[in-house]
Amino acid sequence: MNKDVIIACDFASAEATYAFLDQFTDCKPFVKVGMELFYAEGPAIVRELKRRGHKIFLDLKLHDIPNTVKKAMAVLSGLDIDMCNLHAAGTQEMMRAAVEGLTREDGSRPILLAVTQLTSTSEERMHDDLLIEGSMSDVVTHYAQCAQTAGLDGVVCSPLETDMVKRACGQNFLTVTPGIRFADGQVGDQVRVTTPVKAKTLGSDYIVVGRPITAADDPIAAYKRCIKEFVL
Ligand code: C5P
């Protein structure tokens, strides 16, 4: 399994994104494009980042009726992205439709991940607002198993949930984990954080790192530190 560091390009415009990425003169990092940037710039930002040689995780977290998700995934597949995602809460039927829509004529498709429960959702809110009973661990495990049954490749989860997901779904089922901070860095609004080196120990396949790199005084050094701690 190829471990990699994915930089969360949480910028408001294409200009800001290119200005940031232009600093990386000797490598082409794997980047994550989220809702803010995609809604601001549309598919053009994805095409341009691809043209520049970046791998792309398009983080749009689809959740709708199966037919709509299938058609939307077919559009995303045509953008030649490398990774995308949806909410497992959309049901196994929706996830199967997503796999179908995403699969190209030659049988290839981007990596498809499921969001189980957002890491911003506490167990209490899940019980009281969503009326989902059971522990957070049981719900995350069950959603991951549903995603696997539907044919998905893995989940986005907390690094602290990686081991649990791997035990339930096997080592080859991918875990892509945000919530990464350097041991000597700012935590910001993230709550359950781990360092790149700890995420590696816990078994994450990819770490998603935003502000520890994008807001660093020296983003290149911060990225290389992530690679050193997590990949090498
Ligand atoms: O700046 P920071 O490293 O906190 O960025 C983390 C990125 O991962 C953000 O783009 C955030 O939206 C995303 N993310 C997350 N937690 C999740 C899912 C996605 O932090 N559960």
Side-chain angles (χ1 to χ4, degrees):
M1 197 63 61
N2 288 335
K3 288 185 184 289
D4 207 349
V5 175
I6 303 177
I7 303 180
C9 287
D10 293 323
F11 299 108
S13 69
E15 291 70 36
T17 307
Y18 302 148
F20 170 74
L21 290 174
D22 282 346
Q23 299 173 86
F24 293 80
T25 50
D26 64 349
C27 60
K28 296 283 180 190
F30 200 139
V31 296
K32 181 171 88 68
V33 173
M35 291 186 207
E36 181 187 14
L37 187 56
F38 190 76
Y39 292 157
E41 301 290 348
I45 183 83
V46 173
R47 292 196 188 97
E48 175 59 16
L49 290 172
K50 264 280 149 189
R51 194 193 64 73
R52 290 172 176 233
H54 295 278
K55 283 190 172 180
I56 300 178
F57 171 17
L58 190 55
D59 179 18
L60 299 181
K61 302 187 180 72
L62 277 69
H63 187 177
D64 208 316
I65 60 172
N67 187 53
T68 300
V69 169
K70 179 178 172 177
K71 289 179 175 175
M73 284 294 184
V75 176
L76 299 188
S77 183
L79 284 177
D80 195 25
I81 51 169
D82 299 279
M83 189 182 275
C84 59
N85 61 359
L86 48 66
H87 274 285
T91 75
Q92 287 193 44
E93 190 189 350
M94 187 203 79
M95 291 193 272
R96 274 194 298 273
V99 172
E100 250 179 70
L102 203 56
T103 305
R104 305 181 186 106
E105 274 184 14
D106 65 0
S108 68
R109 65 166 173 78
I111 291 171
L112 181 57
L113 307 167
V115 175
T116 54
Q117 285 292 330
L118 291 169
T119 46
S120 53
T121 305
S122 67
E123 193 167 87
E124 188 187 11
R125 293 272 66 79
M126 185 180 75
H127 291 159
D128 295 352
D129 294 2
L130 308 183
L131 276 185
I132 297 172
E133 293 176 2
S135 68
M136 181 63 80
S137 306
D138 286 349
V139 173
V140 168
T141 302
H142 178 65
Y143 279 27
Q145 286 170 322
C146 287
Q148 187 174 41
T149 303
L152 274 69
D153 307 295
V155 292
V156 182
C157 64
S158 157
L160 304 168
E161 291 162 356
T162 294
D163 183 54
M164 187 176 79
V165 168
K166 296 274 187 188
R167 279 171 197 264
C169 301
Q171 284 302 317
N172 291 335
F173 195 65
L174 301 175
T175 54
V176 177
T177 63
I180 303 297
R181 293 294 179 266
F182 293 122
D184 51 358
Q186 301 282 321
V187 171
D189 59 351
Q190 294 280 16
V191 180
R192 298 167 69 216
V193 299
T194 50
T195 61
V197 73
K198 179 86 168 132
K200 181 179 185 178
T201 311
L202 290 169
S204 298
D205 296 289
Y206 296 85
I207 52 172
V208 176
V209 188
R211 288 160 291 181
I213 296 175
T214 57
D217 291 337
D218 185 346
I220 314 295
Y223 173 70
K224 289 193 170 158
R225 182 173 172 191
C226 286
I227 294 283
K228 193 170 165 219
E229 285 193 23
F230 182 70
V231 182
L232 302 180

